Amino acid sequence: MLIRIIDIGSNSVKASLYNVEGKAHRLVDRDKLDYALGDPVFSDGSIPESGMDKVADFIRSACEGKADGKSHFTFVVATESVRSAKNREAFVKRVEQKADCEVRILTGAEESFLIHTGITCSEKPGEDDVIKTIDIGGGSAEVSWSRGGKYLFGRSYELGAIRLTNRFLKSSSFARDEFDRLYDHALEQFQRYTPMKAPPAARSIGSSGNIRAISRMMETARGPAFTKQIPEVTPGTLEDLCELAVGRTPQALSSLFDLHLKRARIVMPAVLVLLASLRHFGIRRMETSEAGLREGIAEFWSRHGHLNLPVGKEE
């Protein structure tokens, strides 16, 4: 059986097709619409008519893709940019009418759970092993952890890279005082909205395009002045990236780290949120993963045959 999962994110819209056999899933195809809903939502509060049609047309095209004669299900989910949009009901109605599919707006708790499920589904932790996961998208950041495969905590924070770029980065070049205010805000959000102390973790794993871009930035950085650079993500390496970015324009950062300019404009808020999260949640070093929300949906559905998730509203 095939399942198609379409994720309406803040930075792009992604469609993945999985083949499900027994309780296992395998990616067979994927597509992407490079359109950031978060840009208008986090600047103007709403999704423009043109954006609604662009997303709806992409989803309709994705849903018309061949399924090779196999029976299939399609799941369309929306995350923080749609959650935050003043006209989210109109957006959902437009997409459902044009694409002839149902759109489910995930709660932050559901998004956290599914991301953690996707990142950890291939892991085999010991009974007492804690795994922490972090995902930093365009509209929100999700932090979760489990012990021995049992999900214990997950929360979505309004700390996405596009949202924070619009709020804090007003200068033409990256300024240290803007970085300081953004970092303090992120740390305050983690302190205010995390109801429990994070346990020590056997492993910590990061996901999302922003975190993978940060990992590539660290691999690119060179120079004897930055001696803390190592392959894994650590607070020290993130501090180094901040020092490299201060005083540079997004264009200069794009050239320095071979980043797409769109990513270079928003990646530094992700660096600062990640730095605050590593410090607050007691993470010394973090790996990166290609998995995330869509893999979590595929994993949960393949094992349970439904998406009645064991989480709901934020605490």
Side-chain angles (χ1 to χ4, degrees):
M1 177 177 291
L2 296 174
I3 60 171
R4 180 182 293 106
I5 301 169
I6 301 174
D7 167 20
I8 306 173
S10 298
N11 204 40
S12 62
V13 183
K14 297 176 182 177
S16 295
L17 188 67
Y18 297 89
N19 185 40
V20 176
E21 296 180 354
K23 293 186 177 182
H25 63 275
R26 177 177 57 85
L27 179 68
V28 295
D29 194 19
R30 59 186 174 186
D31 197 4
K32 176 181 176 181
L33 172 65
D34 192 18
Y35 173 67
L37 280 177
D39 284 334
V41 169
F42 301 126
S43 59
D44 302 324
S46 298
I47 302 168
E49 294 282 330
S50 60
M52 292 185 187
D53 289 334
K54 187 174 293 188
V55 173
D57 290 343
F58 171 79
I59 293 174
R60 180 177 59 193
S61 176
C63 290
E64 290 173 350
K66 294 181 180 179
D68 298 326
K70 293 186 178 181
S71 60
H72 65 283
F73 290 93
T74 296
F75 302 100
V76 182
V77 299
T79 55
E80 181 62 24
S81 60
V82 179
R83 284 198 296 267
S84 298
K86 296 175 184 176
N87 60 343
R88 58 184 174 274
E89 290 84 4
F91 170 77
V92 168
K93 183 177 180 180
R94 177 76 60 85
V95 172
E96 290 183 338
Q97 287 178 340
K98 292 194 72 171
D100 191 26
C101 63
E102 182 179 346
V103 177
R104 175 171 173 175
I105 302 177
L106 297 175
T107 67
E110 289 173 335
E111 185 178 0
S112 299
F113 172 80
L114 289 168
I115 289 171
H116 188 82
T117 298
I119 294 173
T120 61
C121 64
S122 61
E123 304 294 332
K124 299 186 183 301
E127 184 177 351
D128 294 322
D129 287 345
V130 172
I131 297 179
K132 295 177 183 174
T133 60
I134 301 173
D135 184 285
I136 303 174
S140 61
E142 283 71 41
V143 180
S144 308
W145 59 79
S146 58
R147 186 190 300 274
K150 181 180 179 181
Y151 188 72
L152 298 178
F153 172 83
R155 190 169 189 93
S156 181
Y157 302 83
E158 293 184 352
L159 294 173
I162 298 175
R163 183 195 294 271
L164 297 180
T165 296
N166 288 343
R167 178 173 176 181
F168 289 95
L169 302 187
K170 306 297 185 182
S171 306
S172 58
S173 59
F174 297 116
R176 190 180 301 278
D177 63 331
E178 292 177 334
F179 280 4
D180 290 343
R181 287 195 296 272
L182 196 159
Y183 173 82
D184 290 344
H185 171 73
L187 190 59
E188 186 272 336
Q189 291 292 295
F190 288 131
Q191 292 169 344
R192 175 181 294 185
Y193 295 110
T194 308
M196 62 181 70
K197 183 177 180 181
R203 295 177 65 191
S204 297
I205 308 171
S207 183
S208 74
N210 285 318
I211 289 181
R212 288 188 288 272
I214 291 169
S215 181
R216 292 193 298 273
M217 288 168 69
M218 293 191 306
E219 293 172 0
T220 302
R222 294 290 185 270
F226 300 98
T227 58
K228 291 175 284 187
Q229 294 284 1
I230 60 174
E232 293 177 301
V233 178
T234 70
T237 61
L238 296 174
E239 290 170 358
D240 286 349
L241 292 182
C242 291
E243 290 299 320
L244 282 167
V246 168
R248 297 182 189 270
T249 63
Q251 291 81 1
L253 202 70
S254 172
S255 177
L256 177 64
F257 291 113
D258 193 24
L259 294 173
H260 191 285
L261 182 56
K262 178 182 174 182
R263 182 73 65 185
R265 293 185 189 279
I266 65 171
V267 74
M268 291 314 299
V271 170
L272 290 157
V273 169
L274 187 55
L275 177 58
S277 66
L278 295 191
R279 287 175 173 166
H280 180 73
F281 294 103
I283 299 172
R284 290 188 172 185
R285 57 189 70 242
M286 188 189 72
E287 311 164 42
T288 58
S289 171
E290 294 291 328
L293 176 63
R294 295 183 308 286
E295 288 74 21
I297 294 172
E299 173 70 12
F300 191 89
W301 192 89
S302 65
R303 288 187 173 273
H304 303 283
H306 61 76
L307 283 182
N308 300 322
L309 305 178
V311 293
K313 296 180 179 180
E314 303 284 13
E315 296 181 2

